[in-house]
Every structure is written in structure tokens, then in C-alpha cells.
Amino acid sequence: MQIAADHKDETSGPQKFADRLTALIGRPVFVVVFSLVILAWVGTNLAAARLGYRPPDPPPFIWLQGATTIGTMFVAALILTTQRREDQLANHRSQLILELIIVNDQKNAKIIELLEEVRRDNPAIADRIDSQAAAMSAPSDTLAVLGAIKGSDTKPDRD
């Protein structure tokens, strides 16, 4: 799809790097490796204490806590950066879909209008008033629809 290709082409180097890191972190193998690293850290420090050596990070593992906190903040920032870019693409798609729907609505209204004109001008077809066709021959009022949507968003749900 051209929108996705254009969006990808407009992506800067740091954004591409963030996307790749987010994709890597989002894999299940990352959770396994991360868990194994934490277990190795804790195990090494506990084993060092039992063997009489001074552990680099004795319980309660302050260095591990700091590292995981910084890593968590880093992962959250990566996810937010990637999500922001994906939201931009989704907004572009939504706007395109909306514009295509409006154009199709206008085209359909014109087709109905032309069919009604042919029906009125054809002497072989009995002339009659078709209020439904007359209503359908006018394009939708997009501002009224938007107002109705906004109005339904502000109404509280009643269960």
C-alpha cells in the first residue's frame, strides 16, 4: 500500500532503529533471555556470598534493581516512540478511508439522481414520485454526521 510505503520512506534513521529494537524486545525470546540474565545475576551473587567471596551486588540487589528500572524506562520510551509513529500511519489511513467514503457517497448520490432523471424522461416508464430515491440522490451531510458522532461520544452510558 502506498501510504505504508511513504510512511516507511519518511522514517528517520533513529526511528528505524527504535522500531527494530521494539520489535526485538517484543519477542518472547527476549523475556526468556531477560529472565535468565536476572537469574544468573542473583545466582552469581548468592553463590559468591556462600563461597566466602564479596558479592558485587549483595541482596537486596540494589544494582540489579537500578538496572531493571533503567531498562524498563528505556523499553517504555521505545514502545511510546514506536506507537506514536504507528498512530500517525493509522490516522493517515483513517483520513484516506473517510475521504474515499465521502467521494463514494457523492458518486452514489449522482448515480441515483441520473437514474431518476432517466426514469422521468423515459416515456415507457410511468412517472411517479419516489421520495426515497429523492432522499438518496442528495449526498450525506458530513457535518451533521460528525455532530451526531460527537454528540454520542459525550452522552453517558446507561446500563
Side-chain angles (χ1 to χ4, degrees):
M1 185 173 195
Q2 188 61 38
I3 294 174
D6 290 344
H7 187 71
K8 186 176 180 181
D9 290 343
E10 294 169 0
T11 304
S12 67
Q15 286 174 328
K16 288 179 183 177
F17 180 71
D19 289 347
R20 284 192 296 266
L21 276 177
T22 304
L24 177 69
I25 290 169
R27 294 191 174 140
V29 71
F30 178 80
V31 175
V32 171
V33 170
F34 189 67
S35 298
L36 290 175
V37 168
I38 291 174
L39 288 174
W41 183 273
V42 171
T44 301
N45 282 286
L46 291 177
R50 286 195 175 215
L51 295 174
Y53 297 106
R54 184 175 174 268
D57 187 21
F61 310 111
I62 299 298
W63 285 101
L64 178 62
Q65 291 176 27
T68 55
T69 301
I70 290 170
T72 302
M73 290 175 20
F74 178 70
V75 168
L78 279 174
I79 291 170
L80 288 173
T81 300
T82 302
Q83 186 61 46
R84 188 179 136 266
R85 279 194 3 81
E86 294 301 318
D87 286 347
Q88 289 173 344
L89 179 59
N91 286 337
H92 290 156
R93 283 184 181 152
S94 296
Q95 186 173 359
L96 176 63
I97 289 168
L98 178 62
E99 289 177 15
L100 289 173
I101 289 170
I102 290 171
V103 168
N104 281 332
D105 179 62
Q106 293 169 344
K107 288 178 180 181
N108 289 336
K110 185 63 177 178
I111 290 168
I112 293 170
E113 180 185 336
L114 291 172
L115 286 172
E116 280 297 297
E117 186 177 322
V118 167
R119 186 185 56 78
R120 280 191 305 271
D121 292 346
N122 190 337
I125 300 174
D127 196 17
R128 61 181 171 77
I129 296 175
D130 187 347
S131 58
Q132 190 176 20
M136 291 173 70
S137 67
S140 299
D141 183 0
T142 53
L143 294 177
V145 172
L146 180 61
I149 291 170
K150 285 183 177 179
S152 68
D153 288 344
T154 59
K155 292 179 185 176
D157 290 336
R158 294 182 185 175
D159 292 327

